[in-house]
Amino acid sequence: KSLGVFAKEVYCSFPLCLVKCTNMADSPRVVSAEELEAKIKEGMPNVQFVKAVDESDGCGAKFEIEIISPDFAGKPLLAQHRMIHKIIAEEREFIHALSLKTKVPASD
């Protein structure tokens, strides 16, 4: 069900996205899942898996990102998340909500 909020030719159905989409109507910047994945792969060459999901029906305001990388080994969760936030800092300015799931590859 759409809320009828028009943002960059995308009708957003994510309720908490209302303010973000309204602000984005004047901005040419809508972040995509593919863009986030590419940026993370570029910023973390050792990444083994990255999957970004736009949970705002194309509005680009709410994402869930799962990342598996040996670069996280020995780092606390907060440090892992800070690594990702630093890599996607420019895109983060246009994202309302972000959920990160960071993991170290399973050892055999």
Side-chain angles (χ1 to χ4, degrees):
K1 177 180 166 184
S2 176
L3 292 176
V5 177
F6 192 74
K8 188 79 169 136
E9 298 187 21
V10 175
Y11 285 92
C12 182
S13 63
F14 183 64
L16 297 178
C17 173
L18 180 63
V19 172
K20 190 65 178 177
C21 285
T22 302
N23 292 340
M24 289 175 63
D26 298 327
S27 172
R29 191 77 163 97
V30 175
V31 178
S32 71
E34 294 80 12
E35 179 181 1
L36 291 171
E37 290 174 1
K39 190 82 178 253
I40 292 167
K41 287 177 184 176
E42 179 184 313
M44 293 184 76
N46 296 323
V47 72
Q48 292 183 358
F49 177 83
V50 60
K51 179 68 178 172
V53 177
D54 184 343
E55 296 184 329
S56 60
D57 295 332
C59 177
K62 181 181 180 190
F63 287 93
E64 179 178 292
I65 307 174
E66 182 178 355
I67 307 111
I68 300 174
S69 175
D71 296 334
F72 297 139
K75 293 181 174 61
L77 187 62
L78 184 58
Q80 295 174 19
H81 287 202
R82 283 181 176 157
M83 290 171 66
I84 301 303
H85 279 271
K86 184 176 181 180
I87 292 169
I88 61 169
E90 180 183 328
E91 293 79 7
R92 185 71 178 98
E93 294 180 31
F94 302 96
I95 298 173
H96 175 70
L98 178 63
S99 172
L100 295 176
K101 294 181 181 178
T102 54
K103 301 175 186 174
V104 176
S107 57
D108 296 330

